Amino acid sequence: MENNQDIEKLAIDTVRILSADAVQKANSGHPGTAMALAPMGHVLWSKFLNYNPKNPDWVNRDRFILSAGHACILQYNFLYLTGYDLSLDDIKQFRQLHSKTAGHPEYGLAPGIDVTTGPLGQGFANGVGFAIAQKHLAARYNKPGFELFNYNIYAITSDGDMMEGVTSEAASLAGHLQLGNLIYLYDDNHISIEGSTDIAFNEDVSARFRSYGWQVQEIADVNDTHALELALINAKSETQKPSLIRVRSLIAYGSPNKSGTAGSHGSPLGADEIKLVKKFFGFDPEKSFEVPAEVLKYYNGVGAKGEGKEEKWNKLFADYKAKYPELAAEYELASSGGLPEGWKDKLPVFKGSDPKMATRQASGKVLNAVAASLPNLIGGAADLSPSTETNLKEFDSFTSENRNGRNFHFGIREHAMGSAMNGMALTKGVIPFGATFLMFSEYMRPPIRLAAIMKISPIFVYTHDSIGLGEDGTTHQPVEQLASLRSIPNITVIRPADANETTHAWRVALEHKGGPVVLVFTRQGLPILDQDKYGKADGLEKGAYILSEGSKGPDLILIATGSEVALIMEAQAKLEAEGISTRVVSMPSWELFEKQDAAYKEKVFPKASRKRLAVEMASPMGWHKYTTDEGDMLGMTTFGESAPAEDLYKFFGFTVDNVVKKAKALL
């Protein structure tokens, strides 16, 4: 036992010094937290986490989230030491261009990173989504004797996480849903960048989390690894409540002059101080990146056990597949990112003779038409499913009693909804969607951006998309949101013009890979464009298509998205009556259009046809790319007003007469 304790102490101290060395070499980073939490990381990676370094994507591995992403050198060190495809040279390249070891953990960059964190609170809330997804998979696929999905979600969180509002939203939701598969370690080190946390933060975090319905334990010293082990055992045995283990640590433990100070939080310790740290722990102060052979052997041995764990699970799944072949096949397809054959046959087609229909209503019809064929499609709204039409009518709600439900009630927690959706989207076999009003995408910007960075594909559904919202007024009428969302790399924004375009918007969203899709729908009813008379709605998949051609080569091209397409169709008729040949282009998605080849782009927007008018009840920012220097854009350059929609259209100039007037001005 003494020998074991000796190697564990040496292993922990090695991680502390590696962390300090890496930050010092980079001349950038956060050494203090990593140094302090080495014992916590040691206990997790050597005794509790189930993982296989040879297959970081093993589906029943425990998930680990470093919500305190600034301390990522801690995670990188354990990934390297336990045998992931990460080398000591990668540790030495911390924070350098094109290295695997970025300044915060990035999904897809280094193996073993389950989610991109950095903005504080995001990892905490992502974990709630991971936990929901695990519970849902277990409810659908686990059978007696076949516990396929029983993994836990572990996270290390910080004082900064506790201060961010998204943590409160997510913690409240997790407690309500009794997500007992969440085990969070809270590094209570009392230090932030500006100094002691008591300059801004003195609440009783333990009491707060107990009020949310969490199990809370407290440990006085992170160096007490035995106490950490006991607390983690207790957390694993508590299956009805999420667990928070509050652990007191001393930032930059081992640094004679900087431990316990803000100076060790976000800056290198300095070469002289690191020598003192090495002396404190009995290492050679003249050596850097020193990894004793026995430490590497110890951690490699711990990591190697994961291969056997996965082999055992693979045998279990093979037996499951023999007994439950249909469920096994369903999961294999879903986890591969595939969709069942025939699901598109369920997509509804709407007739031009049908009454007007809001695209949010059409969206609800599409969702409910395909839901039975897509068992891995799950989601809900931020207390707005009746308004966003996102309720799956034939399915139950996901609750603490019913994990098989497919309707989620996120509550009025848009930020946590978006972050949880990212955790769900990172779980193979789940396609999540979440809905609110377009205006409240503002509350979700961090998770939308992170989904785009990770190139994962949650489906964000936004309704009530313009001044057509009407009487709710300025605060609820989006103006700048479309331009803002379109500015994000790797995102696909789709604003369909009618019910049939809405069908194809969902088709594209469900098949899309490589980033989130934003679906934008109207509150107000819109005419359904006759598929026998005008361009086919499946042209939506190309981002823009010719909806209606003029009587001859176009004198003018009218372009619009969403509800404004019906407006320019009326304007086209009036212009044609006056002898002005006009092409109408429906342009639901800039991003999809930009993926098309030059020939298609030339077909829709001939270079010779530079008289173009775009119409969209939103900020004009960005439209000049398509309207050219000889065109114009009718948009919103102010906020909206509170009034009936028809009055607003007249006031802001979204009328047939005004579109015709602006079109003629171009000629």
Side-chain angles (χ1 to χ4, degrees):
M1 183 174 288
E2 285 183 6
N3 288 339
N4 195 49
Q5 289 175 341
D6 288 345
I7 187 63
E8 290 194 12
K9 182 181 184 304
L10 180 61
I12 290 168
D13 293 344
T14 298
V15 172
R16 298 189 206 267
I17 291 170
L18 270 180
S19 299
D21 275 342
V23 173
Q24 187 64 37
K25 184 176 185 295
N27 196 30
S28 173
H30 301 73
T33 301
M35 293 168 67
L37 298 187
M40 185 185 291
H42 170 78
V43 170
L44 283 172
W45 265 276
S46 67
K47 301 179 188 297
F48 283 89
L49 289 174
N50 286 317
Y51 58 94
N52 179 11
K54 302 303 180 188
N55 180 16
D57 294 326
W58 172 37
V59 295
N60 200 45
R61 71 191 184 282
D62 288 326
R63 282 14 176 213
F64 174 76
I65 302 168
L66 188 65
S67 194
H70 54 276
C72 57
I73 191 60
L74 176 78
Q75 186 173 8
Y76 297 146
N77 283 331
F78 280 107
L79 293 174
Y80 150 59
L81 291 166
T82 55
Y84 284 82
D85 184 20
L86 208 66
S87 67
L88 186 58
D89 283 340
D90 290 319
I91 301 299
K92 293 177 182 179
Q93 290 300 305
F94 179 51
R95 290 190 163 219
Q96 303 309 298
L97 183 64
H98 303 314
S99 103
K100 295 180 182 178
T101 48
H104 288 83
E106 291 195 25
Y107 171 76
L109 190 59
I113 304 297
D114 285 319
V115 61
T116 296
T117 61
L120 291 170
Q122 289 302 312
F124 187 108
N126 296 149
V128 175
F130 276 113
I132 289 169
Q134 186 275 324
K135 291 292 186 185
H136 185 70
L137 289 175
R140 184 162 186 84
Y141 296 109
N142 287 5
K143 297 294 180 183
F146 294 95
E147 203 168 341
L148 293 181
F149 302 107
N150 58 4
Y151 58 88
N152 290 307
I153 292 83
Y154 293 84
I156 292 177
T157 70
S158 64
D159 288 308
D161 289 295
M162 295 303 160
M163 295 186 214
E164 288 287 358
V166 68
T167 293
S168 297
E169 293 183 26
S172 174
L173 180 62
H176 172 74
L177 291 174
Q178 298 180 16
L179 298 176
N181 51 350
L182 282 178
I183 301 174
Y184 282 9
L185 293 139
Y186 162 35
D187 173 32
D188 182 21
N189 68 25
H190 292 196
I191 295 294
S192 61
I193 290 175
E194 293 184 357
S196 173
T197 53
D198 62 14
I199 63 173
F201 184 67
N202 60 0
E203 67 188 44
D204 187 337
V205 173
S206 297
R208 172 180 152 201
F209 273 75
R210 288 189 181 102
S211 77
Y212 289 144
W214 288 54
Q215 178 201 58
V216 179
Q217 302 175 78
E218 297 179 348
I219 295 175
D221 182 5
V222 71
N223 295 306
D224 187 346
T225 55
H226 182 62
L228 282 170
E229 289 180 39
L230 290 177
L232 285 163
I233 290 169
N234 287 337
K236 285 187 71 174
S237 65
E238 172 53 77
T239 59
Q240 300 303 308
K241 295 180 179 181
S243 290
L244 183 76
I245 304 171
R246 184 176 182 175
V247 185
R248 189 76 174 91
S249 76
L250 180 67
I251 196 168
Y253 176 79
S255 173
N257 300 302
K258 294 192 175 181
S259 63
T261 71
S264 66
H265 176 75
S267 302
L269 297 180
D272 292 340
E273 188 70 13
I274 285 182
K275 288 181 179 180
L276 296 177
V277 170
K278 291 174 181 176
K279 286 182 180 179
F280 179 86
F281 289 115
F283 280 64
D284 186 339
E286 301 305 321
K287 291 183 179 179
S288 295
F289 297 98
E290 184 179 4
V291 180
E294 60 268 40
V295 169
L296 190 58
K297 181 180 178 182
Y298 171 81
Y299 279 128
N300 276 182
V302 168
K305 294 177 182 177
E307 290 186 65
K309 292 176 182 178
E310 184 177 357
E311 285 175 8
K312 185 178 179 181
W313 187 89
N314 288 339
K315 174 64 167 62
L316 180 71
F317 187 76
D319 293 342
Y320 177 88
K321 191 172 181 178
K323 189 167 185 179
Y324 302 101
E326 290 183 2
L327 280 175
E330 178 188 289
Y331 175 72
E332 286 179 324
L333 177 65
S335 63
S336 73
L339 298 172
E341 286 187 17
W343 77 273
K344 286 187 280 194
D345 296 338
K346 305 294 184 182
L347 289 167
V349 177
F350 301 92
K351 297 177 181 177
S353 57
D354 289 342
K356 284 185 176 182
M357 184 184 300
T359 52
R360 61 168 175 153
Q361 293 173 315
S363 168
K365 292 180 184 296
V366 176
L367 268 176
N368 279 282
V370 302
S373 301
L374 300 174
N376 56 330
L377 178 64
I378 56 180
D383 193 49
L384 287 170
S385 60
S387 298
T388 57
E389 299 275 357
T390 44
N391 189 56
L392 304 180
K393 296 175 182 177
E394 296 183 9
F395 297 93
D396 296 333
S397 295
F398 181 98
T399 67
S400 58
E401 293 82 25
N402 182 8
R403 308 301 196 182
N404 207 30
R406 292 172 58 186
N407 288 300
F408 280 87
H409 304 285
F410 289 102
I412 306 167
R413 304 182 181 100
E414 290 91 350
H415 196 169
M417 176 177 75
S419 304
M421 286 171 63
N422 284 351
M424 294 162 75
L426 284 161
T427 305
K428 290 183 178 180
V430 173
I431 302 175
F433 65 89
T436 184
F437 293 175
L438 178 57
M439 185 65 243
F440 304 132
S441 64
E442 295 296 327
Y443 284 138
M444 299 173 63
R445 290 305 297 272
I448 294 170
R449 184 173 191 268
L450 286 166
I453 289 173
M454 290 186 278
K455 298 181 180 178
I456 58 174
S457 303
I459 301 172
F460 299 110
V461 179
Y462 296 126
T463 67
H464 297 60
D465 67 350
S466 72
I467 61 171
L469 175 57
E471 291 86 347
D472 278 349
T474 312
T475 61
H476 281 49
Q477 291 168 10
V479 170
E480 71 276 24
Q481 282 64 41
L482 284 173
S484 179
L485 289 166
R486 287 170 178 152
S487 73
I488 302 172
N490 300 334
I491 202 168
T492 300
V493 179
I494 308 176
R495 187 175 183 239
D498 75 341
N500 285 310
E501 280 198 10
T502 298
T503 293
H504 291 285
W506 268 108
R507 176 178 61 81
V508 169
L510 289 164
E511 293 178 332
H512 184 76
K513 302 288 188 296
V517 175
V518 172
L519 299 178
V520 182
F521 299 128
T522 67
R523 178 197 190 193
Q524 70 273 26
L526 302 177
I528 297 170
L529 300 165
D530 192 333
Q531 293 288 281
D532 294 326
K533 186 176 179 183
Y534 302 113
K536 301 294 186 184
D538 62 4
L540 174 139
E541 68 187 9
K542 293 187 175 181
Y545 66 100
I546 300 169
L547 180 62
S548 178
E549 196 62 279
S551 54
K552 54 184 175 63
D555 300 316
L556 176 82
I557 300 176
L558 294 176
I559 318 163
T561 76
S563 53
E564 292 80 271
V565 171
L567 174 62
I568 65 171
M569 287 289 282
E570 289 187 55
Q572 180 198 38
K574 193 164 185 178
L575 287 163
E576 286 284 342
E578 297 183 30
I580 300 172
S581 179
T582 308
R583 171 180 291 179
V584 168
V585 172
S586 176
M587 193 171 190
S589 176
W590 294 8
E591 298 80 17
L592 293 177
F593 182 69
E594 289 303 323
K595 291 180 179 179
Q596 307 311 310
D597 60 30
Y600 183 78
K601 290 179 180 178
E602 173 66 18
K603 177 184 174 184
V604 177
F605 295 126
K607 292 183 179 66
S609 299
R610 299 179 62 80
K611 305 294 186 180
R612 306 175 190 175
L613 176 65
V615 181
E616 187 173 64
M617 287 188 275
S619 167
M621 185 179 293
W623 271 107
H624 66 277
K625 179 175 183 178
Y626 302 110
T627 57
T628 81
D629 56 357
E630 295 184 33
D632 197 3
M633 197 273 170
L634 171 59
M636 292 290 295
T637 56
T638 68
F639 293 116
E641 297 281 351
S642 180
E646 292 299 324
D647 293 344
L648 292 171
Y649 298 154
K650 291 176 184 176
F651 181 77
F652 288 107
F654 292 96
T655 63
V656 174
D657 287 344
N658 193 45
V659 171
V660 168
K661 178 183 175 183
K662 291 184 77 70
K664 286 182 175 180
L666 294 176
L667 301 173

